Amino acid sequence: MQRDLMTPVAKPPTPAAARPYKPVFSILATVIVVMGALWLGALAWTRYDATPWTRDARVRAYAIAITPEISGRIVSVDVHANQTVRRGQVLMRIDPSDFENALAAAQAALAADEATARMKAADASRRARLPSMAVSAEAQQNAAAAAQAAAAAVMGDKARVAQALLNLRRTVVKAPVTGTITNLTLHAGDYAHAGSAALTLVDARDIWVTAYFEETELGRIRPGEAAKIQLLADPGQVLTGVVQGIGRGIAVSDAQTSAGGLPVVNPVYSWVRLSQRIPVHIALDHVPPGLFLAAGMSATVRIVPGHGR
């Protein structure tokens, strides 16, 4: 018997065991995606909300202003910009001529007054040995007082000699600590003024990080807790540190006073109150050799609650 060509051919039935797998895979994929999203959300919340962090942090170091203690013309500058110097190394020299003359004058005055003091002391001693018929008690007392005054003048001369010698030594300005010369604009021929900074020396041996946290996060920061620091210049380098302390105050513009002694209050009051930023001092545990750090570099700081010393 011939089969009708118009009659459709029936497809073989799909095995019953293969049909249920498709919805199972769909459900499983949905569950995995939802769990992954929840995990990423929890991780982001922990990272950005549960742990205090800030991108407003700066690398800090002690900057010593080298201030001459005497005034005079600078005859030589023995360092150059960005040079590392050791404690006691000569930085610059001031013309010593005036101070050498002052020392010589003080020494001459000392020699003269010493001679006068010896003469008056001998006179007072001689008068003290004479009998009362040869010299009066008043003359003896006057001679003794003159000898004491001459001795006091000698003591004053010695102090002036010591001061002149000290000023002469101060014409050679030396580094008080080991550090790096920065922002050097000084040159031979400039005039050094006593009490005015001539150059700056950065002590790179003691470097820390000051992180400015919003005041709403300070309750979760404790001294002794660990901190992680990422430098903007090298984000892949993570430094570790420890919170040493939290600043106890910042400048308040409304705390200024007018000429009449009244407080100056800003009349503009914003409805949106911005959180103040309080400095938090973070000491670095270890600086890897070869890592360049300069005072003022930007960094991101994250506090690790419950971890510390």
Side-chain angles (χ1 to χ4, degrees), residues 41-226:
L43 183 63
W45 182 85
T46 302
R47 181 177 179 86
Y48 294 104
D49 192 75
T51 59
W53 73 285
T54 180
R55 290 179 294 181
D56 186 10
R58 297 288 185 272
V59 177
R60 300 287 302 277
Y62 290 109
I64 298 94
I66 306 301
T67 305
E69 298 178 85
I70 57 173
S71 299
R73 187 71 59 187
I74 298 173
V75 295
S76 68
V77 178
D78 296 41
V79 293
H80 56 80
N82 302 319
Q83 176 183 347
T84 299
V85 298
R86 302 191 65 82
R87 180 180 180 181
Q89 183 173 340
V90 176
L91 303 179
M92 65 180 183
R93 301 174 189 271
I94 299 174
D95 187 1
S97 302
D98 293 341
F99 304 98
E100 291 172 345
N101 294 336
L103 176 60
Q107 290 173 336
L110 173 61
D113 286 344
E114 283 180 337
T116 302
R118 287 193 297 268
M119 181 186 68
K120 291 185 178 296
D123 182 63
S125 177
R126 183 175 59 256
R127 289 175 181 270
R129 292 193 302 267
L130 293 175
S132 59
M133 295 184 298
V135 62
S136 65
E138 181 181 2
Q140 290 177 332
Q141 293 175 355
N142 290 340
Q148 292 177 353
V154 170
M155 294 179 60
D157 289 337
K158 289 181 178 180
R160 283 184 284 273
V161 168
Q163 184 62 49
L165 183 60
L166 179 60
N167 289 339
L168 181 59
R169 292 173 179 170
R170 287 172 173 171
T171 59
V172 180
V173 180
K174 299 181 179 180
V177 297
T178 298
T180 303
I181 301 295
T182 185
N183 194 31
L184 179 63
T185 59
L186 197 66
H187 195 272
D190 289 341
Y191 194 87
H193 297 273
S196 298
L199 51 87
T200 303
L201 181 65
V202 176
D203 186 358
R205 299 172 303 168
D206 189 5
I207 295 181
W208 71 94
V209 173
T210 299
Y212 300 93
F213 283 90
E214 293 183 355
E215 56 187 320
T216 54
E217 294 184 339
L218 295 180
R220 294 177 291 171
I221 301 176
R222 297 289 184 273
E225 290 184 328

